[in-house]
Amino acid sequence: MMELETTKLLDLSHSLAGEYLAGFHYPWEALDGIRDLILRLGAELPPEEYDQPSPQVWVHKTAQVFPSAWLGAPCIIGPETEVRHGAFIRGSALVGAGCVVGNSVELKNVILFDKVQVPHYNYVGDSILGYRSHMGAGSITSNVKSDKTLVVVKDGDRRLETGRKKFGAILGDRVEVGCNSVLNPGTVVGRDTNIYPVSCVRGAVPPESIFKTGGVVTPKK
C-alpha cells in the first residue's frame, strides 16, 4: 500500500500553509479550511512586502500579474510568481513563491506549493500541488464525480472515505503530469512520479513511478 500521509507526499517547508497542513493526517482533510487559512495568513503578511489591490487579495511586490488576470478573494500570490493573461483565480487560492499560473488557467480552493507550474489551459480545483510539481498543457483536475457521490481514495484494495463531494487531486513534490491528462476525483500521486500525456488517472499512484497509457504503472529505473 502507498503511504498517503501528508508528510510522505509534501515537503511542508515549501509553503506558507506548511504549519496548517502539518495538523492533518491526510492532505485532503485540509481542503475545507483553505479559505479561512488564507484570510488568517493574509492579515499577518507584512504590508511592505505585499500589495492589496482589492479586499482579501494579497500580491507580493515581486510577483507579476498581467492586466487581464482575475484575482478573486481570498487569495495570496507569492514572491516572484507570474500570473499570466487570462488566468482566472476564482478564490481560496494560496499560490506560493516562484509559481507560474498561465493563460486560461482556473484555480479554485487550492494550495500551490513553491515553484509549481500550471502554465497552459489547466483547471485545478479542490486540490493541493506539491513543491515543483508541473501540469502540462490542457491537463486538469476533475473534482466532482459524475454520479455526485462522495469521493473515495482507492489504493489497491484499500478504500479511504474522504467524506467530500469535491476533491480533485493531491500531487506530491516534483510530480510531472503530461499534457491533456485528466486527474479524476480522489487522485493522489506520490513524489517524483511522471504521468504520461493523455492519461486518465484515478486512485493512488506510487512515488518514483511512471503512469503509462492504459493505466500501467512501472517503477522509475
Side-chain angles (χ1 to χ4, degrees), residues 47-90:
E48 66 272 16
E49 295 181 19
Y50 283 82
D51 293 323
Q52 198 169 353
S54 60
Q56 301 179 350
V57 173
W58 295 271
V59 179
H60 197 275
K61 293 180 185 293
T62 63
Q64 183 178 12
V65 178
F66 284 64
S68 60
W70 173 264
L71 304 183
C75 73
I76 295 173
I77 307 298
E80 299 181 348
T81 281
E82 185 176 317
V83 183
R84 295 175 177 166
H85 283 295
F88 177 31
I89 296 180
R90 283 169 56 186

Side-chain angles (χ1 to χ4, degrees), residues 6-89:
T6 300
T7 55
K8 300 296 183 181
L9 295 163
L10 304 164
D11 182 343
L12 301 184
S13 68
H14 289 291
S15 174
L16 289 177
E19 183 178 351
Y20 168 74
L21 290 169
F24 297 94
H25 187 67
Y26 296 119
W28 55 83
E29 296 170 342
L31 293 174
D32 275 338
I34 291 176
R35 176 183 175 84
D36 289 341
L37 171 69
I38 293 170
L39 292 174
R40 177 173 60 79
L41 291 175
E44 299 170 352
L45 292 173
E48 66 272 16
E49 295 181 19
Y50 283 82
D51 293 323
Q52 198 169 353
S54 60
Q56 301 179 350
V57 173
W58 295 271
V59 179
H60 197 275
K61 293 180 185 293
T62 63
Q64 183 178 12
V65 178
F66 284 64
S68 60
W70 173 264
L71 304 183
C75 73
I76 295 173
I77 307 298
E80 299 181 348
T81 281
E82 185 176 317
V83 183
R84 295 175 177 166
H85 283 295
F88 177 31
I89 296 180

Side-chain angles (χ1 to χ4, degrees), residues 75-148:
C75 73
I76 295 173
I77 307 298
E80 299 181 348
T81 281
E82 185 176 317
V83 183
R84 295 175 177 166
H85 283 295
F88 177 31
I89 296 180
R90 283 169 56 186
S92 298
L94 174 53
V95 182
C99 295
V100 176
V101 180
N103 59 304
S104 303
V105 169
E106 181 177 348
L107 303 180
K108 172 255 181 187
N109 199 50
V110 295
I111 297 173
L112 272 55
F113 275 52
D114 299 341
K115 303 290 187 181
V116 166
Q117 294 191 355
V118 281
H120 313 284
Y121 310 107
N122 308 108
Y123 172 69
V124 186
D126 300 286
S127 299
I128 300 173
L129 308 189
Y131 176 62
R132 285 191 179 275
S133 60
H134 170 258
M135 296 184 66
S139 60
I140 65 168
T141 65
S142 173
N143 61 335
V144 180
K145 295 174 64 175
S146 59
D147 62 5
K148 307 302 188 292

Side-chain angles (χ1 to χ4, degrees), residues 202-220:
R202 56 173 39 87
V205 184
E208 298 183 353
S209 63
I210 301 174
F211 186 101
K212 299 183 178 181
T213 304
V216 176
V217 179
T218 60
K220 284 186 175 180

Side-chain angles (χ1 to χ4, degrees), residues 181-195:
S181 293
V182 176
L183 307 179
N184 285 280
T187 295
V188 182
V189 184
R191 285 173 166 154
D192 299 298
T193 282
N194 289 56
I195 306 296

